[in-house]
């Protein structure tokens, strides 16, 4: 079995060529302490390699309206290390809920996120 070149990271020569944006939902409350508005605060951006779920997961998401999973691999830096499961990723015209944000090796971050699919998406 061929040894993996550590400089190329988990996905080998796969390029981080997709720009993703990180956002943090911020809820505003009225005088009674009730939530009245949610906005998205900018938390930075990064270039990522994007890998979607397995074929069966994609088909199931499209047919049943399930969550569509994806993995986003970025370089580690102060911005990406500060991202948590409370943040969102804006990518490909949708909002992705981060379910996992973990450092990978020395120089990469791996974000797992899900996007709610809709039956009329792509129509």
């Amino acid at each position: 079995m061929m040894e993996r070149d550590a400089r190329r990271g988990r996905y080998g020569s796969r390029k981080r060529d997709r720009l993703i944006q990180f956002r943090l939902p911020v809820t505003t409350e009225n005088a009674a302490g009730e939530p009245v508005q949610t906005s998205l605060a900018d938390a930075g951006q990064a270039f990522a390699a994007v890998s979607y779920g397995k074929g069966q997961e994609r088909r199931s998401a499209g047919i049943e309206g399930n969550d569509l999973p994806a993995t986003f691999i970025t370089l580690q830096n102060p911005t990406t290390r500060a991202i948590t499961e409370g943040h969102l990723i804006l990518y490909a015209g949708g909002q992705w809920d981060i379910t996992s944000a973990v450092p990978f090796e020395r120089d990469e971050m791996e974000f797992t996120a899900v996007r709610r699919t809709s039956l009329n998406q792509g129509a």
Side-chain angles (χ1 to χ4, degrees):
M1 187 172 216
M2 190 185 223
E3 286 187 38
R4 184 175 57 89
D5 183 354
R7 293 172 294 142
R8 294 191 301 177
R10 181 176 188 178
Y11 289 99
S13 62
R14 185 174 179 136
K15 295 181 182 178
R16 289 178 291 274
D17 60 354
R18 307 286 186 214
L19 183 63
I20 62 174
Q21 299 174 342
F22 299 106
R23 297 291 189 265
L24 181 63
V26 178
T27 302
T28 307
E29 296 179 349
N30 63 15
E34 300 167 326
V36 292
Q37 181 180 1
T38 300
S39 61
L40 298 176
D42 183 24
Q45 61 185 18
F47 281 94
V50 180
S51 175
Y52 294 98
K54 297 177 184 173
Q56 180 58 38
E57 291 172 327
R58 291 193 306 263
R59 285 188 291 279
S60 174
I63 293 169
E64 301 171 14
N66 293 336
D67 295 334
L68 175 64
T71 302
F72 301 85
I73 304 294
T74 67
L75 289 176
Q76 275 192 51
N77 60 44
T79 298
T80 58
R81 282 191 298 268
I83 302 301
T84 67
E85 288 83 6
H87 289 79
L88 300 171
I89 292 175
L90 299 184
Y91 172 71
Q95 292 183 7
W96 298 75
D97 295 323
I98 297 175
T99 58
S100 173
V102 295
F104 183 76
E105 294 188 351
R106 291 181 178 213
D107 61 349
E108 294 180 326
M109 287 292 295
E110 179 178 285
F111 301 97
T112 304
V114 292
R115 176 181 178 183
R116 173 60 68 182
T117 59
S118 67
L119 296 177
N120 60 6
Q121 191 173 15

